[in-house]
Amino acid sequence: EAGVTQSPTHLIKTRGQQVTLRCSPISGHTSVYWYQQALGLGLQFLLWYDEGEERNRGNFPPRFSGRQFPNYSSELNVNALELEDSALYLCASSFRTSGRNEQFFGPGTRLTVL
Amino acid sequence: QKEVEQDPGPLSVPEGAIVSLNCTYSNSAFQYFMWYRQYSRKGPELLMYTYSSGNKEDGRFTAQVDKSSKYISLFIRDSQPSDSATYLCAMSKTSYDKVIFGPGTSLSVIP
């Protein structure tokens, strides 16, 4: 069974630019979560999508946004990039109605903002 | 006070040692507890999953939850160099709620 996939693997952008990160969940999983992991910091919850709807949002500014498609894949968009947005962006998926909150992570997209 | 606290380490132990990793939390509403292992520059990998209080064993790994003390632990027996990674505790209130992660403990197992 294929795991969570993310693209691209690495990305270099400059301040003020916009970026789109992509995530494909494990087959059958309906929930997608996005996290930011800055160097030396823990995972910070960004967004949770389930069945195409945004279910919860972490303490991030509105320039972080996303969406979930009918096939449950998801995009994370970051506008007006700032230097502190440099981080590993992780996507996780789970099967929400399984009764178990087990999230399975992808390898991440490493974003560097210059 | 952070919701979930974890000693960042680094923790260095000799091969074969028993490792104890711990987390404390402040919100008594947490019911689901997880441990993840993250190798450098990789995504976290789910190791253990427990619901409410008690122990769970899987091979060399044992997870303990003490809800009365708001304290969870992960024990690794017969530690191996391949166990060298960052260990993240995580928890949620319901089976579908967002998961809150601890900052992680860096572990090195020396051959």
Side-chain angles (χ1 to χ4, degrees):
Chain A
E1 179 184 280
V4 177
T5 60
Q6 291 187 245
S7 63
T9 307
H10 296 87
L11 209 49
I12 298 175
K13 293 284 188 179
T14 56
R15 285 180 60 192
Q17 285 189 307
Q18 178 265 343
V19 67
T20 297
L21 311 181
R22 295 178 174 81
C23 171
S24 291
I26 291 171
S27 177
H29 285 189
T30 57
S31 279
V32 170
Y33 306 80
W34 287 95
Y35 294 87
Q36 182 195 67
Q37 189 175 35
L39 193 62
L41 299 178
L43 274 74
Q44 303 296 313
F45 169 73
L46 267 166
L47 290 158
W48 168 28
Y49 292 95
D50 182 72
E51 298 283 359
E53 301 280 332
E54 183 179 301
R55 302 293 183 178
N56 207 336
R57 182 183 181 85
N59 189 24
F60 280 83
R63 58 190 186 84
F64 287 84
S65 65
R67 56 180 172 167
Q68 186 179 34
F69 298 99
N71 66 354
Y72 303 116
S73 67
S74 176
E75 283 182 353
L76 173 69
N77 297 294
V78 187
N79 294 321
L81 284 167
E82 300 180 2
L83 296 178
E84 53 265 34
D85 295 334
S86 294
L88 181 66
Y89 288 84
L90 291 158
C91 168
S93 74
S94 73
F95 185 43
R96 185 173 72 88
T97 56
S98 70
R100 292 167 62 90
N101 199 353
E102 293 173 289
Q103 296 185 12
F104 297 87
F105 283 82
T109 293
R110 186 161 297 279
L111 172 64
T112 301
V113 182
L114 303 176
Chain B
Q1 182 188 15
K2 291 183 179 178
E3 275 196 291
V4 181
E5 306 226 35
Q6 192 175 2
D7 186 340
L11 181 61
S12 185
V13 301
E15 183 175 354
I18 296 175
V19 176
S20 173
L21 304 167
N22 310 295
C23 281
T24 58
Y25 60 95
S26 57
N27 192 335
S28 59
F30 287 132
Q31 298 271 13
Y32 296 81
F33 303 92
M34 292 142 276
W35 284 95
Y36 284 82
R37 176 174 63 195
Q38 186 175 23
Y39 292 113
S40 181
R41 308 181 80 83
K42 302 286 187 184
E45 167 195 13
L46 181 64
L47 272 179
M48 299 288 283
Y49 180 96
T50 53
Y51 169 70
S52 195
S53 284
N55 294 357
K56 182 175 182 179
E57 187 173 323
D58 184 1
R60 296 185 296 112
F61 298 91
T62 299
Q64 287 186 351
V65 175
D66 181 350
K67 290 187 67 182
S68 62
S69 302
K70 300 191 185 69
Y71 189 87
I72 70 171
S73 301
L74 177 71
F75 297 95
I76 306 174
R77 290 184 299 281
D78 187 25
S79 56
Q80 302 295 310
S82 59
D83 295 328
S84 299
T86 296
Y87 290 79
L88 304 160
C89 64
M91 48 201 76
S92 66
K93 298 174 190 174
T94 70
S95 63
Y96 53 85
D97 202 356
K98 67 179 182 181
V99 174
I100 306 299
F101 284 82
T105 297
S106 175
L107 171 68
S108 291
V109 181
I110 311 301

